[in-house]
Amino acid sequence: MNAVQELLDRIETGSVADLVTYLNGLGDDDKRMVARHLPAHLGERRRSGFEAEQRIRELALLYRLAGAACLGGAGQVADWLNRRELSWVEPEANAAHVMSVLSDRPEEWRRDLAVRLVQRLRPTTGSTWRRIQALGNWDLAAALVIETGAEPPENDAFVSGWVLRKAERQRVNPNQVLGDDRLLDHMLPRLFQVQGVADGLMWDRGWGEGPTLLGQLVAMAGAGRIPRQMLLDGCVSRFLAGADAAEAAPFVTLWRELEPEVAEIPVADFVRMLPSASSPVVQLALEELHRAEPALDGELFAEAVLALAYRPEKKYMAAAVKWIAAASPSRGALAVAALAPVFHVDTPGLRERAVRVAVKLAPHTAEPGREAIREAATWLPVDLRERVAAAFGAVEEIQPEPMGAATLTAAPLPAPAPPISSVEELAAELAEPLWPEVPARFERILDALVRLTHQDRDAVVAGLQSWWRTNWQHPFDAHTYVYGISGFDEDIRSLLMRCALAVVSPDDSRALTAALNESSRRWPSSEPAPQRFVQRRFREVMSLFERGESVPVLLATPTSPTGHVDAATLVTRMEELGGTEPLESDFLQALLRLPRPVDPGLVARARKLPSQAGRRLAACLHDGGLPEPVVTWELLAFDRPAHYPKSLREAHAGLTPPEGVPEQLAELWTLSPKPGYPLFSRHMVWWPPSMPSHREAVAAHVLACLPWVMDSTDGQVEVVAALAHAGGPAGIATASTIVIGMGHRLPAQRALAADAITTLAAYGELPAADLGRAVGHLVRGEQVKLNRVTGVLDEVTSAGAHAEVRAALAAAIPLLLPGPGEKAKAGLGELLKVAVRAAEATGARSDMPGLADLAARKGSSQLLHQARRLYEVIVT
């Protein structure tokens, strides 16, 4: 047996100790022989299918050891150790084992490998724990750096990896001594320069009473092990570099724990942080500047308060006003110009206080400051402007020019791609990644698979051989898919692949279907009814192919980007079937996709169809399409499981099917809210194109699922944007799904809800009053956050939907106004501000229950100020 075969046999046994012993005993000639054959062997094994790839993962450590011991150059070994298929190893154990087979390499060679491995480290993403799990070759690179004394190149990932690994070890062993770490002196200066160290430095803050990483740095500075001034200077340099709040957090904590003396505070640097630093840094700077105020000369004081006044956060504007007010008249007068930007804020109390301070300092203010105040005062309300004019001289009144309203437009959906016309094109489409799930693309592939298989099944089988060999296990084992891949029987990507498998290898497909059916009896699907309906159509096609049968055409393939099927095209497809009965789920899907209204002239053509389904189609066309289910809406209080978001009340829609519809449609149009675990699906994007003429029915199902993913990054609000392009009535269910989407934690997802509003408004189909009702009830019920909803409404007002927002808020605001003895919702003043904008743009005048009483209250809060403005605009 030659060295290569013996090595491969030892790898297959899975014994690390045996393999290490064998590798350390190999001669140079044998190692060169292995080096020539090992990469080719691994590449060939990777191409042998799913099971082979799984086996490579299991044996990844042994393959890594073989390459590290036998490949010649440091560059070759670095390439080998960075191969993706060999990354499935435990990093620390991997490092120890690889080091054991590198011991006979020259030190210069190992130093070269250390540098190459450090260079190839890449930053990781996700939670702190995920980042620790994804450190890859960091441990091996660090071990080589320590052993050889190599000077590693600058690489953020190497530094952040050190912090993450130290944090993890601190968690396992709270008594570890950071000062004993052999990389500490090298890493310490870089901590303040790189991205990605914050979560590691903060990870151990809540683990009991043991020393933290930051605490150990402070202790070492106190003991003289590391220079205290280096830590202070490092924090300042990090703050000045503009780190965001998360990245700055550990350095803010470190600064506080170092407890610098007043003399150690670099006041000029802290002043220069104020304009652009993250909020935690600004707060720290403000505290430290107050401590060191005697060291602030008049120029720095003026610079500091001016920077605070121009910050977007109102709390820092307020801090600037307070600081100026507390200064002596001569010192405060130097900074009067910092009050000017505060005159423009929409917080009446803060604006009025700034005016009072300015008037108080007027006798001490030089002309440049007086001029700045007069210019800023031009936009003040009349009463405040007159007070400023009395103290600073005449103030010009400027009337703002009315802004023209934007024109509402709906972005058109992209036109459908042309049908796939050849087996080669079908094979190419199947070979491309089928993620994310785009219904139009899947429909196009399914349509081609059905048509081309009917025309020449042998040609399809031959054309998909490469796809079959690459994507399916050989030899085939159904249990691998049933028990090894979660949800394999439910997501449409897998169902589409199974349809193609049923053509290429019907025996394998039948075996898989039988095994999955057996499994589903024990673990039935938890998908909601719309997704089960979508799945049923794909399984129907799969079953057709498994029986060795085919049909010339699918009836329900969309002809429109909304998912609709042109009625005339549907009749033509039925004519192509002749007397053959269509697939039932495909037929019902086609009926659901008929647009409204239907051309009456098509009824006569449909009545000539010879099949029973033809008669059903003719009746449906005669009636103008399928009937609508009955949609109800209510607010309910459910006690959900602990890990679900809690609301006082939830909005729910119910569905009741019309009498006489087929069983599948009755199931699809039956929905009632239930306590306990709510409905859930990650595939809601399929639902609008499945019922494109029944928007409220789709919305009812979406409303049952959508609220539970409003903290996720899965992009589920796409379904809300898709609903806007659908047909059929739009009422309270549609409005509620939009409001739920407006409450998503991610701005990009809320933008999809904004698109839905502007699209429906552009089509003239937005149920504005229902949208307002939903806003009022869902905010009161704490199912969505008011500030998120307000931001979306402000955005769509700017986009031209001012009339619709005006109508929506006319319904929402009375529901949200505080009753007697009730505290107002936080952020309600901002919502009234949007209502003022919308009302001013429309010029509409009407009464609003409860607004007059609120406007009549005394006070200077944002809520009362905006209530008075709104009352003036719409009533007086």
Side-chain angles (χ1 to χ4, degrees):
M1 182 183 298
N2 64 36
V4 175
Q5 189 57 53
E6 185 170 355
L7 172 72
L8 296 179
D9 290 345
R10 289 176 184 271
I11 287 175
E12 207 62 39
T13 66
S15 171
V16 175
D18 178 62
L19 182 63
V20 169
T21 301
Y22 176 74
L23 290 171
N24 285 333
L26 277 179
D28 291 344
D29 290 341
D30 287 338
K31 286 184 178 181
R32 282 191 288 270
M33 183 184 298
V34 169
R36 285 196 301 271
H37 291 88
L38 188 60
H41 160 78
L42 186 62
E44 183 178 347
R45 190 169 194 180
R46 279 190 63 208
R47 292 188 291 271
S48 298
F50 174 79
E51 190 174 42
E53 290 189 3
Q54 291 295 105
R55 186 58 176 161
I56 290 172
R57 288 187 179 187
E58 295 170 5
L59 302 174
L61 174 57
L62 291 100
Y63 275 112
R64 290 169 68 87
L65 291 172
C70 297
L71 293 171
Q76 290 177 300
V77 173
D79 289 342
W80 182 259
L81 295 174
N82 276 286
R83 290 183 68 143
R84 184 183 297 274
E85 65 270 30
L86 300 182
S87 63
W88 300 87
V89 293
E90 198 289 311
E92 292 185 276
N94 164 74
H97 290 307
V98 173
M99 291 292 288
S100 71
V101 300
L102 295 178
S103 57
D104 61 343
R105 300 277 197 172
E107 183 173 297
E108 189 60 34
W109 186 97
R110 284 179 288 131
R111 188 178 291 115
D112 185 17
L113 178 61
V115 170
R116 291 174 184 271
L117 289 176
V118 171
Q119 286 175 327
R120 298 187 191 197
L121 293 174
R122 294 293 179 266
T124 52
T125 59
S127 67
T128 305
W129 183 248
R130 283 180 178 273
R131 293 183 64 210
I132 290 172
Q133 294 299 303
L135 284 177
N137 283 320
W138 184 88
D139 295 274
L140 177 58
L144 285 165
V145 167
I146 292 171
E147 183 182 80
T148 64
E151 178 65 26
E154 298 289 338
N155 185 342
D156 287 9
F158 188 56
V159 181
S160 63
W162 178 76
V163 174
L164 290 167
R165 187 62 80 205
K166 296 306 295 182
E168 181 199 25
R169 290 170 180 166
Q170 185 77 20
R171 183 176 188 176
V172 175
N173 178 20
N175 296 319
Q176 71 163 333
V177 179
L178 183 61
D180 294 340
D181 190 281
R182 294 171 64 182
L183 289 175
L184 173 65
D185 294 328
H186 173 81
M187 294 295 189
L188 194 55
R190 300 191 187 187
L191 282 183
F192 303 98
Q193 302 165 6
V194 306
Q195 297 292 319
V197 300
D199 53 347
L201 289 173
M202 298 296 287
W203 204 41
D204 59 358
R205 303 300 292 173
W207 296 343
E209 299 180 358
T212 64
L213 293 180
L214 293 178
Q216 290 193 62
L217 290 176
V218 173
M220 284 189 287
R225 166 65 176 83
I226 57 178
R228 170 186 170 83
Q229 193 59 46
M230 184 185 74
L231 297 183
L232 292 173
D233 291 345
C235 290
V236 172
S237 68
R238 190 64 165 174
F239 301 151
L240 288 171
D244 63 25
E247 283 292 322
F251 304 104
V252 170
T253 300
L254 178 58
W255 180 275
R256 294 189 193 282
E257 292 188 5
L258 286 168
E259 298 180 349
E261 300 292 334
V262 170
E264 294 178 298
I265 299 173
V267 290
D269 286 334
F270 272 119
V271 168
R272 284 165 191 140
M273 293 173 199
L274 296 177
S276 59
S278 60
S279 186
V281 174
V282 174
Q283 184 61 43
L284 174 67
L286 189 56
E287 294 169 7
E288 296 298 83
L289 289 172
H290 277 305
R291 281 210 299 144
E293 186 159 359
L296 277 177
D297 59 28
E299 185 177 341
L300 277 177
F301 170 72
E303 183 180 343
V305 292
L306 188 63
L308 290 170
Y310 274 106
R311 294 281 307 189
E313 305 96 328
K314 289 179 183 174
K315 65 178 181 178
Y316 295 127
M317 289 185 174
V321 175
K322 182 179 180 181
W323 201 356
I324 296 171
S328 65
S330 59
R331 187 175 176 86
L334 295 174
V336 159
L339 298 170
V342 187
F343 287 4
H344 296 281
V345 300
D346 55 8
T347 304
L350 177 58
R351 190 171 55 204
E352 290 173 13
R353 185 174 187 191
V355 168
R356 285 199 306 271
V357 174
V359 169
K360 175 185 174 183
L361 294 173
H364 310 278
T365 304
E367 183 53 30
R370 299 174 68 87
E371 179 61 24
I373 292 297
R374 287 195 296 270
E375 288 181 4
T378 57
W379 300 98
L380 285 171
V382 175
D383 58 332
L384 297 180
R385 189 169 63 245
E386 290 176 348
R387 289 169 60 185
V388 172
F392 287 87
V395 175
E396 181 181 358
E397 179 182 359
I398 298 178
Q399 294 294 335
E401 296 182 7
M403 296 180 62
T407 302
L408 271 174
T409 57
L413 296 174
I420 295 171
S421 58
S422 68
V423 175
E424 293 76 16
E425 189 180 356
L426 172 62
E429 281 289 341
L430 280 170
E432 291 294 319
L434 295 175
W435 188 262
E437 289 185 10
V438 178
R441 182 184 174 208
F442 282 45
E443 292 280 5
R444 182 170 176 260
I445 294 174
L446 186 67
D447 166 70
L449 189 62
V450 169
R451 283 188 295 101
L452 296 173
T453 299
H454 182 76
Q455 294 167 13
D456 189 342
R457 184 167 187 151
D458 291 341
V460 174
V461 172
L464 296 185
Q465 286 297 303
S466 176
W467 169 85
W468 178 46
R469 287 193 300 270
T470 302
N471 291 276
W472 293 92
Q473 184 187 49
H474 300 277
F476 189 82
D477 181 2
H479 289 79
T480 300
Y481 301 95
V482 176
Y483 301 107
I485 304 177
S486 176
F488 187 77
D489 194 37
E490 295 195 345
D491 76 82
I492 307 303
R493 183 184 72 89
S494 297
L495 293 177
L496 179 61
M497 292 180 65
R498 288 179 59 202
C499 287
L501 176 67
V503 175
V504 179
S505 184
D507 289 342
D508 290 345
S509 183
R510 285 190 289 268
L512 180 56
T513 297
L516 286 167
N517 287 344
E518 176 64 27
S519 174
S520 68
R521 281 191 282 272
R522 284 177 286 173
W523 297 289
S525 171
S526 60
E527 283 283 358
Q531 196 62 22
R532 296 199 302 272
F533 184 83
V534 174
Q535 293 167 352
R536 193 176 291 124
R537 178 164 168 259
F538 280 79
R539 292 194 179 106
E540 185 180 62
V541 172
M542 188 191 314
S543 178
L544 175 80
F545 290 152
E546 288 177 350
R547 297 193 304 268
E549 301 173 9
S550 65
V551 292
V553 66
L554 285 178
L555 301 179
T557 302
T559 59
S560 162
T562 60
H564 285 99
V565 174
D566 174 68
T569 301
L570 176 56
V571 174
T572 300
R573 290 172 179 172
M574 287 287 290
E575 290 169 342
E576 190 175 348
L577 289 177
T580 304
E581 293 295 333
L583 302 173
E584 178 66 10
S585 295
D586 185 46
F587 177 70
L588 293 176
Q589 177 66 93
L591 297 186
L592 281 168
R593 285 176 167 166
L594 283 172
R596 301 172 188 272
V598 176
D599 181 3
L602 289 173
V603 177
R605 272 183 66 191
R607 284 174 176 162
K608 297 177 183 179
L609 295 169
S611 63
Q612 181 182 353
R615 291 188 290 275
R616 293 164 65 190
L617 174 60
C620 182
L621 293 174
H622 177 269
D623 294 339
L626 290 172
E628 290 285 345
V630 176
V631 182
T632 57
W633 186 87
E634 56 188 327
L635 294 162
L636 299 170
F638 285 148
D639 185 17
R640 297 295 186 191
H643 54 281
Y644 283 91
K646 297 296 182 186
S647 305
L648 297 177
R649 291 187 300 175
E650 302 169 6
H652 285 277
L655 288 175
T656 304
E659 292 186 4
V661 296
E663 182 180 347
Q664 286 192 43
L665 294 186
E667 177 189 343
L668 180 64
W669 284 343
T670 299
L671 178 67
S672 58
K674 294 180 176 62
Y677 288 94
L679 294 173
F680 174 76
S681 177
R682 295 190 184 278
H683 309 288
M684 288 185 282
V685 70
W686 279 93
W687 303 355
S690 297
M691 293 184 278
S693 293
H694 302 273
R695 179 162 35 206
E696 277 286 273
V698 177
H701 284 292
V702 171
L703 186 57
C705 302
L706 193 65
W708 319 114
V709 292
M710 286 300 94
D711 287 333
S712 76
T713 58
D714 291 345
Q716 296 292 301
V717 186
E718 288 179 11
V719 69
V720 177
L723 269 177
H725 292 278
I732 187 64
T734 300
S736 297
T737 63
I738 293 173
V739 175
I740 293 294
M742 293 161 74
H744 199 287
R745 71 178 178 90
L746 297 178
Q749 293 295 296
R750 297 199 293 272
L752 293 170
D755 288 345
I757 295 174
T758 55
T759 298
L760 285 168
Y763 290 153
E765 298 175 353
L766 180 72
D770 284 331
L771 185 70
R773 286 175 56 207
V775 167
H777 287 300
L778 270 61
V779 169
R780 267 208 173 269
E782 297 184 0
Q783 202 169 8
V784 295
K785 296 188 178 192
L786 179 57
N787 64 320
R788 296 176 182 174
V789 171
T790 300
V792 173
L793 292 176
D794 190 37
E795 178 184 339
V796 299
T797 300
S798 299
H802 44 273
E804 290 78 8
V805 171
R806 165 72 179 85
L809 291 182
I813 289 173
L815 295 172
L816 294 171
L817 292 179
E822 184 182 11
K823 185 178 179 181
K825 285 277 182 188
L828 182 56
E830 292 295 325
L831 184 70
L832 295 186
K833 182 181 174 183
V834 175
V836 171
R837 283 189 61 207
E840 288 176 339
T842 60
R845 306 180 76 79
S846 63
D847 196 7
M848 186 177 289
L851 181 62
D853 292 339
L854 182 63
R857 293 184 188 179
K858 294 182 179 180
S860 59
S861 68
Q862 169 83 322
L863 174 62
L864 297 180
H865 175 70
Q866 297 299 343
R868 294 177 195 124
R869 288 186 63 200
L870 183 59
Y871 185 78
E872 291 172 2
V873 172
I874 69 173
V875 178
T876 61

